[in-house]
Amino acid sequence: MGIYNLDRVFHPESVAVIGATEKENSVGNALMTNLKNGQFSGEIVPINPKHKKVSGIKTLSSIKQSSDPIDLAIIATPISTVPDIIDDCITAGTGGAVIISAGGKETGEQGRSIEKKIQKKAYDGGLRLIGPNCLGIINTKEGLNASFASDMPSEGKLAFVSQSGAICTSILDLSFKEKIGFSHFVSIGSMVDVDFGDMIDYLGNDSQTKSILLYIENLTQIRKFMSAARAVSRIKPIVVLKAGRSEAGAQAASSHTGALAGEDAVYDTAFKRAGIIRVNTIAQLFDCAELMAKKPPPNGSRLAIITNGGGPGVMATDALGGHGLKPAALSSELTRSLDEVLPRYWSRNNPVDILGDATRERFMKTFDICYESKSFDAILAIMVPQALTDPEPVAKALAESAQDKNFPVFASWIGGQKMEKAVNVLNHAKIPTYETPERAVQSFVFMVEYNQNLKMLTQITPKLSHGLHYDPDKAQKLIHNHIKKHSGLLSETASKEILSAYGIPVNTTKSASTEEDAVVAAEEIGFPVAVKLMSPDISHKTDARGVHLNLHSKDAVRTAFQKIMEGAEAYNPDAHIQGVSVQQYIDTPDHELLIGAKNDPSFGPVIVFGLGGIFTEILEDRALGLPPLNRLLARRMMETTRAYKLLQGFRNRPRADMEALEELLMRVSQLVSDFPQIVELDMNPVIVKDGRPRAVDARIRLEDTSQSATLHLVISPYPDEYEFHEKTDDDRSIFIRPVKPEDAPLLQKLFQELSPTSIYHRFFSAMKEISPDMLARFTQIDYDREIALTALNDDPEKREMFGIARVISDPDGKTGEFSVLIGDPWHGHGIGARLLGRVLQIAKKQGIEKVRGTVLRENRKMIAFGKSLGFHARPDADLGEMELEINLKEAEFSFLDQKPTTAQ
């Protein structure tokens, strides 16, 4: 189900409490009290689930017969009674339900069975559910406290969603002390229906919510979660505390890749890809909450530290250094300004140590100078108890000065009793306060990380210097033939054949089952060669003395074969020995890398990159990535490793061809995206010689699966099935395909060709250029929620963009909004009709029923164009605009399958 019914859950006009009884201390009556105390203005209806008539309490049957459906039902009855209550709610037309009841899957198989019944009934009936086993929900704007929390938080712009009711109550209690307000407070429970993806989508569209905090124990429907988070994190910070960081759940695997890709590391990778900030403790979660609730995130990492104590300033500096940052440098002009108000012995550096005898006036003059200098992205004010300084007046002055500044100012008033009144002043003034400089800096760093993630999400992806070509048919045949015999580990020769089909460079390799076969293979390849053990039962060949390198003669090959057989027998007498692989030997490589992939049970294929060779697991220098990868994502993966610096060239080591390595990672990404049967791929080492990479050792493990390609990914890949070669009305060949991140330069050129009128009609404002943020937004497509096609000329060597069209799906998956842009030189050629027609055709196929778009009333050509495709036009609330809408259930696009008439 989509989130389309969540408005009735969080903005109800009527709430029924199912579980209200004549007993004063019942759960239902406690919920009734909380609703009333929260000053909910709508109707509150107590319901006795046992159909008993009690004064002032209605029965379920009376609700079913009511002509006014209840928007929200709060169910607080034994879990065994809930399935029948769900039936009654559906019959009564209830919008949604919050199930407080515990006793579901957390109790075992019987509880799990009940939850499945609840889930099916709600899904079939279109009823949205939160819970079961949850604390409830709070919407402060509506005065809605549909929860067990007896106290209502103050209104704010921060939303908190948690799987744990205990974490909810803890954060809520802390918020009263620190004067933190919330827009929504949601205990999501067992998530039989509404999950984190739904809540991110809902809160992303909620105007009252400016930032989102999540406490996660596990995720369901991860692809939906990733899609929602990637969309919302661009406009609102998302911070998550994910429990379960230990490696206890990581499974042992047969290769280096499998041993490295532990579950929690994959969560880290997924959160980064989605633009989410991850914190590690409840304290960090709350500290971030305080900063986000009270101040805007910083625009950069330039931090000013003002302190009346040298030691705490050093602590703050060390804390920054631990994250690879340092205090912003003071300009000579700023230093001169500070010289005028500070004693001659001040630090003359950042941290700005204004000395222990600092007065209120000195503190505030320093603060004002630093703020007015525009040299910083945030200011941290530190105060320690000093005999000559009263902290409360300083706090009041800081509060007054920061009140009208939309700028990150936060404080660490270090101490206990002497600081208590001053801290209260700062909290009331919405200035974040921290007990230690380290905690203050950590929160600042998290927000800097969010800003950096945002910039990375909007970076333009460069194109490769050449196209990528694959042979999926050959790979499919090889994989099918192997699985038909048995699943499991492929031989090195077979593994390299599959890699070669996807253009991944490998060294020449031949299989040999006998000593003489090995000699013949060596002669065919040419000396020197390497000879390696082939056995599906011995994962690490070096452990069994199964690798012999740099062999220059037939006798050396014979000796190596014999030693390999002896070593394998001694290492594992029961192992199945297939023979050896004989390979081209590459001497004195510049670098050895590990590149591979492993199928994670939750996240699907995960790409691994790092230092290779026999010390891979000891050095633990690796990065993970989720497919699909492009050049930018591949480069970012490598940049997070120590190996990256070596690859830039170090001492006598030459620089690697970084584009070739990016391409290799992209090819691996495409391979594991196309074939869900690949559960493990290990290339170790990948030799870099004269700059170029080549896999000299490779293994692939296969398992049969009924899952179709791309559905095993948590990020929607490029949909190549939506590529079309077509003709325009004047018989011009065009290529219509989905938009790619690499299209940004083409879109920029298209924009430059637009007339001022075309720009105004499309963007509703005058624009001289398209910003990098807009370029990224228009070309980095989440194909799960957006259909975006571009029309290009049909020459792959000299691409030119003629136009672009898209439909962005609403969260309900049933409606969407369209836009279309055609370059001025290409008006009147039928390109717009074929381009938007294809987009609408795909939208209809994906289940979207209605598509709308807003057009300026003066844009008569666009209105006429829309009508020609089947859109209906009607005036919008804005007198200068028209809304075009099409019912896709009734629309036909047969003209797309007809050959266009050649223009005369």
Side-chain angles (χ1 to χ4, degrees), residues 51 310 350 424 429 433 544 592 675 698 708 734 749 790 851 888 892:
H51 300 278
N350 188 11
N424 285 335
T433 59
E592 291 189 14
F675 296 101
S708 59
I734 60 172
K749 186 173 183 296
T790 181
V851 171
L888 293 183
E892 296 290 342

Side-chain angles (χ1 to χ4, degrees), residues 784-787 807-817 848:
D784 275 340
R785 61 177 57 211
E786 184 173 352
I787 305 156
V807 167
I808 301 176
S809 172
D810 293 329
D812 62 8
K814 299 295 182 183
T815 58
E817 184 174 1
I848 295 177

Side-chain angles (χ1 to χ4, degrees), residues 192-415:
V192 296
D193 173 29
V194 175
D195 58 16
F196 284 106
D198 291 316
M199 287 308 308
I200 290 172
D201 257 330
Y202 174 77
L203 295 168
N205 285 282
D206 178 65
S207 61
Q208 300 300 315
T209 300
K210 302 303 180 186
S211 49
I212 301 168
L213 255 66
L214 308 174
Y215 171 78
I216 296 175
E217 292 174 354
N218 68 288
L219 286 174
T220 59
Q221 301 190 66
I222 293 177
R223 183 156 166 162
K224 180 174 72 173
F225 171 86
M226 292 293 291
S227 177
R230 290 172 68 212
V232 173
S233 65
R234 293 171 181 266
I235 56 174
K236 300 180 182 183
I238 303 175
V239 177
V240 61
L241 172 59
K242 165 67 175 67
R245 293 189 69 97
S246 71
E247 297 180 5
Q251 298 178 352
S254 61
S255 71
H256 295 291
T257 307
L260 288 173
E263 180 186 346
D264 194 67
V266 182
Y267 271 101
D268 263 344
T269 300
F271 291 149
K272 287 176 183 175
R273 181 72 176 268
I276 294 174
I277 304 303
R278 183 177 187 179
V279 299
N280 301 324
T281 66
I282 292 177
Q284 289 176 353
L285 183 71
F286 189 80
D287 288 347
C288 273
E290 184 167 9
L291 187 54
M292 291 193 305
K294 296 178 179 179
K295 293 294 175 184
N299 291 322
S301 61
R302 301 174 304 167
L303 179 65
I305 303 169
I306 302 172
T307 177
N308 71 333
V314 174
M315 292 161 61
T317 303
D318 284 345
L320 278 172
H323 296 282
L325 300 174
K326 55 185 178 181
L330 304 183
S331 66
S332 56
E333 183 181 352
L334 178 55
T335 303
R336 285 194 297 271
S337 297
L338 291 171
D339 279 339
E340 294 176 5
V341 299
L342 294 178
R344 60 181 299 188
Y345 296 114
W346 77 279
S347 63
R348 298 182 62 79
N349 207 338
N350 188 11
V352 180
D353 184 357
I354 60 176
L355 306 180
D357 61 349
T359 61
R360 169 186 175 277
E361 289 71 21
R362 187 190 301 173
F363 212 110
M364 292 316 303
K365 284 180 180 179
T366 303
F367 173 83
D368 290 338
I369 289 170
C370 288
Y371 173 76
E372 295 296 338
S373 73
K374 309 297 182 186
S375 300
F376 306 106
D377 299 304
I379 296 176
L380 168 60
I382 301 175
M383 172 160 280
V384 296
Q386 301 277 16
L388 299 178
T389 305
D390 186 346
E392 189 175 0
V394 177
K396 288 180 179 178
L398 181 62
E400 184 179 350
S401 179
Q403 186 175 9
D404 59 347
K405 295 178 175 63
N406 189 33
F407 181 81
V409 178
F410 52 113
S412 178
W413 255 232
I414 305 172

Side-chain angles (χ1 to χ4, degrees), residues 39 62 71 124 275 308-309 315 359 368 385 391 416 477 567 580 582 598 746 798 818 850:
Q39 297 183 335
S62 66
D71 288 319
D124 292 343
N308 71 333
M315 292 161 61
T359 61
D368 290 338
K477 185 176 179 180
V580 299
V582 183
K598 180 181 181 292
L746 294 176
K798 296 180 180 179
F818 86 92
K850 288 186 178 181

Side-chain angles (χ1 to χ4, degrees), residues 53-64:
K53 291 186 177 181
V54 181
S55 176
I57 300 178
K58 296 185 178 182
T59 64
L60 277 172
S61 58
S62 66
I63 290 297
K64 288 193 290 183

